[in-house]
């Protein structure tokens, strides 16, 4: 069974990931694992002496969260056997990265701040640990911080970012022509099949950029010709990816845009009303920079939609049995 892990720390901010995680568990038929860690100070207390009361309090908190998820009055509530509670006596940044594989986790869903929380994620405190473990993807959600705290039962019935229980799921995938960015296609194809999603493939190039400047080909030097050629190459590239996805039983729409990459991701996600955005980490390609810490950071800061991140060094390209970047050689456009 597919397993989704939701890290919690007892705060309402962390709980804001629960509606999204619940909707994904409902759609995927997945097990939801609620993971609560004790943290630095609590860990010292645990190691120093009696800690039964502390653990009981933590387990009591998770029991209340689980009860809310099992509430028969909650639309699409989960059965008891599909919600598990775990308490770990270690720092959150260690627990999520090290314990997740032991639980057989397939996906981590968590809330993050636009700045501090994401900064910690980028520097390896939390998400870096998770992403480095292997085939574990992370979905990050940036809740609106100006919203007052909401009781959990009410939060679970809110209209925040969720995956629809039925009907189409729209998954926006941003590529930049690099093998690293293409690694997102492995997990995306898995999720898309299970979610019965339509994929939207987007490539964004700066308005004055061309493959010529990346050493791909010798092309005309005028700005108009460069941009025309770049657009044609990008479109041809996305169609190659589109055809491969079709062999996997997945439908995809292709879109090429010019301008600021973050602005264009944001605008296109609004136009198609995307349910989920997907990016590979540490990817750098000829048509953009999909680097965790720059584009991913700015996308999370600007967009309230959930973002799926994967480690580009882990999802082996052999999964896809193709190599778009090196097998596809764009020809100069007259």
């Amino acid at each position: 069974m597919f397993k989704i892990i939701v890290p919690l720390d007892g705060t309402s901010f962390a709980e804001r990931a629960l509606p999204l995680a619940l909707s994904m568990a409902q759609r995927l038929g997945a097990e939801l694992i609620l993971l609560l860690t004790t943290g630095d100070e609590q860990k010292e207390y645990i190691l120093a002496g009696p800690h039964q009361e502390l653990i009981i309090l933590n387990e009591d908190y998770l029991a209340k969260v689980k009860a809310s998820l099992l509430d028969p009055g909650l639309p699409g509530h989960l059965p008891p056997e599909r919600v598990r509670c775990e308490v770990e006596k270690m720092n959150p940044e260690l627990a999520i990265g090290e314990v997740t594989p032991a639980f057989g986790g397939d996906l981590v869903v968590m809330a993050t701040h636009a700045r501090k929380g994401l900064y910690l994620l980028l520097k390896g405190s939390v998400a870096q640990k998770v992403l480095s473990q292997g085939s574990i993807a992370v979905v990050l959600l940036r809740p609106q911080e100006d919203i007052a705290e909401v009781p959990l039962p009410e939060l679970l019935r809110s209209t925040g970012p969720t995956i629809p229980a039925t009907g189409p799921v729209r998954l926006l995938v941003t590529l930049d022509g690099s093998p690293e960015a293409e690694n997102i296609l492995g997990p995306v194809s898995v999720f898309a099949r299970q979610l019965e999603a339509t994929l939207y493939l987007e490539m964004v190039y700066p308005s004055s950029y061309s493959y010529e400047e990346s050493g791909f080909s010798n092309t005309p030097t005028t700005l108009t010709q460069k941009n025309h050629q770049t657009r044609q190459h990008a479109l041809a590239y996305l169609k190659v990816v589109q055809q491969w996805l079709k062999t996997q039983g997945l439908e995809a729409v292709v879109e090429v845009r010019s301008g600021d990459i973050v602005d264009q991701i944001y605008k296109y996600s609004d136009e198609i009303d995307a349910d989920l955005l997907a990016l590979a980490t540490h990817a750098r390609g000829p048509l953009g920079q999909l680097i965790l810490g720059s584009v991913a950071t700015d996308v999370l800061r600007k967009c309230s939609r959930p973002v799926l991140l994967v480690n580009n060094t882990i999802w082996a390209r052999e999964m896809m049995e193709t190599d778009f970047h090196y097998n596809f050689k764009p020809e100069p456009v007259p």
Side-chain angles (χ1 to χ4, degrees), residues 121-194:
L121 292 172
L122 301 180
K123 294 303 179 182
S125 296
V126 180
Q128 189 65 31
K129 294 286 185 180
V130 179
L131 291 168
S132 66
Q133 292 298 325
S135 55
I136 302 171
V138 180
V139 173
L140 296 180
L141 173 67
R142 181 186 63 80
Q144 297 182 30
E145 299 191 44
D146 57 348
I147 296 180
E149 292 189 7
V150 179
L152 183 56
E154 182 180 340
L155 176 66
L156 293 174
R157 291 171 171 79
S158 68
T159 57
T162 57
I163 299 298
T166 59
V169 174
R170 293 168 291 275
L171 208 166
L172 173 58
V173 183
T174 303
L175 300 170
D176 67 1
S178 70
E180 293 84 2
E182 290 165 6
N183 281 323
I184 192 67
L185 295 172
V188 158
S189 62
V190 173
F191 293 136
R193 278 193 293 270
Q194 294 180 330

Side-chain angles (χ1 to χ4, degrees), residues 15-312:
E15 291 172 358
R16 290 185 182 276
L18 285 170
L20 174 62
L22 176 61
S23 68
M24 296 187 77
Q26 292 167 345
R27 185 78 185 232
L28 294 169
E31 178 185 14
L32 208 56
I33 301 176
L34 309 177
L35 175 62
L36 182 67
T37 58
T38 57
D40 281 332
E41 295 180 1
Q42 293 177 344
K43 180 181 179 182
E44 292 175 1
Y45 176 67
I46 287 172
L47 296 177
H51 56 270
Q52 190 62 37
E53 181 179 358
L54 176 63
I55 297 301
I56 289 175
L57 288 174
N58 283 339
E59 291 178 345
D60 182 60
Y61 164 73
L62 287 183
K64 291 179 180 178
V65 175
K66 180 176 180 177
S68 296
L69 295 170
L70 303 182
D71 182 0
L74 181 67
H77 67 279
L78 298 178
E81 63 272 15
R82 282 173 51 195
V83 181
R84 190 194 338 166
C85 300
E86 297 287 348
V87 178
E88 289 298 324
K89 309 171 190 176
M90 61 175 68
N91 298 337
E93 60 268 23
L94 295 176
I96 301 171
E98 295 182 6
V99 175
T100 295
F103 292 155
D106 299 288
L107 181 69
V108 173
V109 178
M110 59 191 301
T112 180
H113 293 277
R115 288 187 179 179
K116 182 179 178 182
L118 185 57
Y119 175 81
L120 292 175
L121 292 172
L122 301 180
K123 294 303 179 182
S125 296
V126 180
Q128 189 65 31
K129 294 286 185 180
V130 179
L131 291 168
S132 66
Q133 292 298 325
S135 55
I136 302 171
V138 180
V139 173
L140 296 180
L141 173 67
R142 181 186 63 80
Q144 297 182 30
E145 299 191 44
D146 57 348
I147 296 180
E149 292 189 7
V150 179
L152 183 56
E154 182 180 340
L155 176 66
L156 293 174
R157 291 171 171 79
S158 68
T159 57
T162 57
I163 299 298
T166 59
V169 174
R170 293 168 291 275
L171 208 166
L172 173 58
V173 183
T174 303
L175 300 170
D176 67 1
S178 70
E180 293 84 2
E182 290 165 6
N183 281 323
I184 192 67
L185 295 172
V188 158
S189 62
V190 173
F191 293 136
R193 278 193 293 270
Q194 294 180 330
L195 292 171
E196 299 179 334
T198 296
L199 298 176
Y200 292 79
L201 306 177
E202 180 184 24
M203 180 175 277
V204 182
Y205 64 93
S207 56
S208 60
Y209 198 77
S210 77
Y211 268 66
E212 179 188 25
E213 295 169 272
S214 299
F216 272 72
S217 60
N218 294 318
T219 60
T221 57
T222 66
L223 184 60
T224 300
Q225 289 173 316
K226 282 184 178 181
N227 288 336
H228 174 71
Q229 185 177 43
T230 301
R231 181 177 182 82
Q232 293 301 104
H233 286 168
L235 185 60
Y237 165 79
L238 288 183
K239 287 184 176 180
V240 172
V241 180
Q242 181 187 45
Q243 286 302 310
W244 175 79
L245 289 169
K246 191 172 184 179
T247 67
Q248 307 300 304
L250 297 170
E251 294 297 323
V253 177
V254 299
E255 177 77 7
V256 177
R257 298 189 171 206
S258 65
D260 179 80
I261 184 170
V262 175
D263 286 343
Q264 293 303 322
I265 291 174
Y266 175 74
K267 289 178 181 178
Y268 191 41
S269 68
D270 270 1
E271 290 175 17
I272 65 174
D273 193 20
D275 298 298
L276 187 65
L277 282 60
L279 297 169
T281 66
H282 302 292
R284 184 191 298 268
L287 295 187
Q289 294 183 346
L290 303 183
I291 306 172
L292 183 62
S294 58
V295 170
T297 305
D298 292 339
V299 168
L300 274 164
R301 184 178 294 120
K302 188 168 186 175
C303 184
S304 60
R305 302 176 191 275
V307 179
L308 170 69
L309 298 173
V310 298
N311 187 327
N312 66 45

